[in-house]
Amino acid sequence: MIPFFLDLKDFKVAVFGYGDVSKRRISKLIESSAKIDVYSLENVEISKDYTYKDITYKNCDINKLTNQELEALIKKYDIIITSIDKKNNERIVKISKNLKKMISSSTFESEINFIIPAYYKKDDICFSIYTGGKSPLVAREIRKLVQNYLNDNELEIEIQEKVRELLKNNGKNKKENQNGALCDTNIFKNQSDRKEILELAFNDENFKRKILNLITEYSKNKNK
């Protein structure tokens, strides 16, 4: 497996089961704007648990569904999350994989192809970690460390963002040379040059103060 980020807006997700594991998965999926259907024997009212319009609850006894019926149901969805008994998890994983669906299960982790890891999101920054099921507690503690770091370094992040914007936009408007030809005035075209400036902005306090002054001046001129 390799990690990647996926925009799940309007993806159809089926969640089998409504225990603690499923609820944690659902809470993460809600942030993705996916359309979620929850299949469970439990008589619960989803709307009372989540203020999210694209989630529905469907009373369903998976034990009473044949493999053919289960396959017809799974075909309707893009992503399958299952967290019920081991026997039915195995059925759902097997059918989902045969249908080339993204499947995540609370059991049979070696057989699944889709993981929802521990993660933390702040604005446009998202960090995730997965330990292969070996230590969810370690994943949680590492997530907390990153979360605290991002919260404690908001100014650093803002400076880096503004500096990158300045470097990328520098010289976007081409100027005429002595011969009347347009030439590129961007002196930071090379990625390694931009990286060096960004590292200075991160590590040098004097440089950081100068950059903040430049950012302030740049913002004033941009808004004129």
Side-chain angles (χ1 to χ4, degrees), residues 147-163:
Q147 180 176 336
N148 291 335
Y149 178 85
L150 292 176
N151 288 335
D152 293 341
N153 290 273
E154 291 186 40
L155 179 60
E156 299 283 0
I157 295 167
E158 183 180 356
I159 290 173
Q160 290 282 315
E161 179 186 9
K162 295 296 184 182
V163 171

Side-chain angles (χ1 to χ4, degrees), residues 24 109 118 129-143:
R24 289 198 296 271
E109 286 204 3
I129 181 168
Y130 174 60
T131 61
K134 293 179 180 179
S135 182
L137 290 178
V138 168
R140 184 187 68 186
E141 292 306 309
I142 293 175
R143 178 187 58 77

Side-chain angles (χ1 to χ4, degrees), residues 35 48 66 87 109 112 138 146 149 154 165 188-189:
K35 297 181 182 297
K48 291 180 180 178
T66 65
K87 177 183 175 182
E109 286 204 3
I112 63 178
V138 168
V146 174
Y149 178 85
E154 291 186 40
E165 184 181 349
F188 299 112
K189 290 185 291 184

Side-chain angles (χ1 to χ4, degrees), residues 62-65 67 70 82-95 105-108:
I62 302 300
N63 289 300
K64 293 182 179 179
L65 296 181
N67 285 347
L70 191 54
T82 182
S83 181
I84 45 182
D85 61 276
K86 189 174 181 180
K87 177 183 175 182
N88 282 310
N89 278 351
E90 184 175 23
R91 290 173 67 203
I92 292 169
V93 168
K94 184 176 181 180
I95 292 171
S105 171
S106 59
T107 54
F108 302 99

Side-chain angles (χ1 to χ4, degrees), residues 44-190:
V44 295
E45 181 57 55
I46 293 292
S47 61
K48 291 180 180 178
D49 293 337
Y50 305 105
T51 55
Y52 182 65
K53 62 182 179 62
D54 286 327
I55 184 168
T56 59
Y57 169 78
K58 299 177 183 292
N59 186 268
C60 178
D61 186 350
I62 302 300
N63 289 300
K64 293 182 179 179
L65 296 181
T66 65
N67 285 347
Q68 290 74 22
E69 290 171 330
L70 191 54
E71 180 178 343
L73 178 61
I74 291 172
K75 278 183 178 179
K76 300 176 183 178
Y77 297 93
D78 304 301
I79 297 173
I80 312 299
I81 311 291
T82 182
S83 181
I84 45 182
D85 61 276
K86 189 174 181 180
K87 177 183 175 182
N88 282 310
N89 278 351
E90 184 175 23
R91 290 173 67 203
I92 292 169
V93 168
K94 184 176 181 180
I95 292 171
S96 299
K97 289 191 70 175
N98 287 339
L99 292 172
K100 307 297 183 185
K101 301 293 184 179
M102 289 189 284
I103 171 69
S104 181
S105 171
S106 59
T107 54
F108 302 99
E109 286 204 3
S110 62
E111 300 296 320
I112 63 178
N113 57 20
F114 181 66
I115 300 293
I116 303 178
Y119 73 93
Y120 174 70
K121 189 174 188 299
K122 183 177 180 62
D123 300 325
D124 293 328
I125 298 176
C126 188
F127 170 84
S128 65
I129 181 168
Y130 174 60
T131 61
K134 293 179 180 179
S135 182
L137 290 178
V138 168
R140 184 187 68 186
E141 292 306 309
I142 293 175
R143 178 187 58 77
K144 285 181 180 179
L145 288 173
V146 174
Q147 180 176 336
N148 291 335
Y149 178 85
L150 292 176
N151 288 335
D152 293 341
N153 290 273
E154 291 186 40
L155 179 60
E156 299 283 0
I157 295 167
E158 183 180 356
I159 290 173
Q160 290 282 315
E161 179 186 9
K162 295 296 184 182
V163 171
R164 289 187 78 249
E165 184 181 349
L166 282 169
L167 294 175
K168 284 187 173 183
N169 290 338
N170 179 266
K172 268 191 173 180
N173 297 321
K174 297 180 182 292
K175 294 183 179 180
E176 289 187 3
N177 61 18
Q178 292 179 348
N179 299 321
L182 290 176
C183 61
D184 191 348
T185 61
N186 191 344
I187 60 174
F188 299 112
K189 290 185 291 184
N190 192 307

